[in-house]
Amino acid sequence: MSDLDVHNLLASHNLRCTRPRVKLATLLFADGRDRHVTAEWAADALAKEGDEVALATVYNTLNSFVEAGLLRQISCQEAGRQVFDTNVEPHHHFYNEQTGELTDVPQNAFRFYKMPAAPDGAEIVDWQVTVTIRPH
Amino acid sequence: MSDLDVHNLLASHNLRCTRPRVKLATLLFADGRDRHVTAEWAADALAKEGDEVALATVYNTLNSFVEAGLLRQISCQEAGRQVFDTNVEPHHHFYNEQTGELTDVPQNAFRFYKMPAAPDGAEIVDWQVTVTIRPH
DNA sequence: TCATAATTTATATTCATTCTAATTAAAATG
DNA sequence: CATTTTAATTAGAATGAATATAAATTATGA
Ligand SMILES: [Mn+2]
Ligand SMILES: [Mn+2]
Ligand SMILES: [Zn+2]
Ligand SMILES: [Zn+2]
């Protein structure tokens, strides 16, 4: 993903093109890989490249990205810290209980022939599976 | 669940029978209902009954109950606070996105004919589904 | 270029949770 | 029952993640 692509990505999501946003968008989206990151991880990764960004700005930016639909906030495992997922499509996760690492599982890796009905007065809007795995 | 039952429950899990533990065990297990509670909720509930217990003790006790297998710690939704589940059997959850409320879904409410294989070098130890629901 | 509104940032603040260390209480022992 | 031992409780301090504040900076477009 080129500088221009990052610029377009931000612009097309109504996000002003600022240094912290360009750096973070490049870090998170440039290679198209799925990532599950914390604010601290992102701040450290930028710092290692010499691109210091205030931690408050990292939080602000990640939250803006969520609001813009570029990131999704996930809250499975590791209670106590927010994790941001670069994959905003519906999908599931492997959770490695040794390392805490999350890995994507495609939506269609599960096929159910029985699902619970929604409780009265409610509708199902989403479902996601967390598969806990253990290295052996 | 009588006082004696609570005493036996604690004793059989190698937990000394202290006032905070009796109060919390009664609050959480006496009526056999499934509950998903935070430490703060439990502390408030005890205080309302006139059974003040220090918040640190509530945390200590809930964590002891988890270690003893009386509670399970769940970490879906509402990142930033621990939720303790009185149902320690494998099961799934409805998550009401309006209220944040969690409701149990029995393990057998899902039947699948396709599940992902575990990644190389790992085995699947557990899987759980969070079904997000919205009142309509 | 200039004006305006948005963003960044250092810092303070909030909130959930854990830690510390002194006190209290439960169980075990004689 | 009295004593000893060991574990649990607690107030208050400390930690750590995340947000709020408010002053300085910057992006954008007029
Ligand atoms: Mn993912
Ligand atoms: Mn449950
Ligand atoms: Zn740009
Ligand atoms: Zn008892």
Side-chain angles (χ1 to χ4, degrees):
Chain A
M1 184 176 270
S2 70
D3 288 0
L4 185 59
D5 290 335
V6 171
H7 185 100
N8 286 337
L9 180 74
L10 294 173
S12 67
H13 288 80
N14 293 312
L15 293 167
R16 284 193 179 186
C17 188
T18 65
R19 192 185 68 94
R21 287 175 180 172
V22 171
K23 298 298 183 188
L24 273 167
T26 303
L27 175 72
L28 296 174
F29 306 122
D31 65 4
R33 286 190 46 215
D34 297 329
R35 288 197 170 73
H36 308 92
V37 308
T38 62
E40 213 187 350
W41 178 88
D44 288 351
L46 292 185
K48 273 183 198 127
E49 299 174 358
D51 297 322
E52 304 266 352
V53 173
L55 189 55
T57 304
V58 173
Y59 276 105
N60 288 342
T61 304
L62 295 178
N63 285 328
S64 301
F65 285 3
V66 170
E67 208 177 341
L70 289 170
L71 286 177
R72 156 195 285 218
Q73 217 169 335
I74 56 182
S75 30
C76 46
Q77 320 305 338
E78 308 285 311
R81 37 198 335 187
Q82 297 175 211
V83 176
F84 298 88
D85 190 337
T86 59
N87 182 351
V88 295
E89 300 304 317
H91 65 284
H92 311 291
H93 291 107
F94 285 126
Y95 170 69
N96 184 323
E97 68 176 4
Q98 298 279 284
T99 63
E101 187 191 19
L102 288 170
T103 321
D104 280 359
V105 176
Q107 175 82 341
N108 64 10
F110 284 93
R111 286 290 168 67
F112 288 98
Y113 59 80
K114 185 181 176 192
M115 263 191 89
D120 276 356
E123 60 185 328
I124 293 174
V125 298
D126 184 37
W127 56 280
Q128 79 152 82
V129 187
T130 302
V131 182
T132 304
I133 60 172
R134 179 166 33 214
H136 58 218
Chain B
M1 184 176 271
S2 70
D3 288 0
L4 185 59
D5 289 338
V6 171
H7 184 99
N8 287 337
L9 181 74
L10 294 173
S12 67
H13 287 80
N14 293 312
L15 293 167
R16 284 194 180 185
C17 188
T18 65
R19 192 185 67 95
R21 287 175 181 172
V22 170
K23 298 298 183 188
L24 274 166
T26 303
L27 176 72
L28 296 174
F29 306 122
D31 67 2
R33 284 190 48 216
D34 297 329
R35 288 199 170 73
H36 308 91
V37 309
T38 63
E40 213 188 349
W41 179 89
D44 288 350
L46 292 185
K48 273 182 198 128
E49 299 173 359
D51 298 321
E52 305 265 351
V53 173
L55 188 56
T57 305
V58 173
Y59 276 105
N60 288 342
T61 305
L62 295 178
N63 286 327
S64 302
F65 285 4
V66 170
E67 209 177 341
L70 288 170
L71 287 177
R72 157 195 283 217
Q73 218 170 334
I74 56 183
S75 30
C76 46
Q77 320 307 332
E78 309 284 311
R81 38 196 336 185
Q82 297 176 208
V83 177
F84 298 88
D85 191 337
T86 58
N87 183 350
V88 294
E89 301 303 317
H91 64 284
H92 311 291
H93 290 106
F94 285 125
Y95 170 69
N96 184 323
E97 68 175 5
Q98 299 277 283
T99 64
E101 186 190 19
L102 288 171
T103 321
D104 279 0
V105 177
Q107 175 83 341
N108 64 10
F110 285 92
R111 287 285 171 67
F112 54 88
Y113 59 83
K114 186 182 175 190
M115 257 193 98
D120 277 354
E123 60 186 329
I124 293 174
V125 297
D126 184 38
W127 58 282
Q128 79 152 84
V129 186
T130 301
V131 182
T132 303
I133 60 174
R134 178 163 36 210
H136 59 217

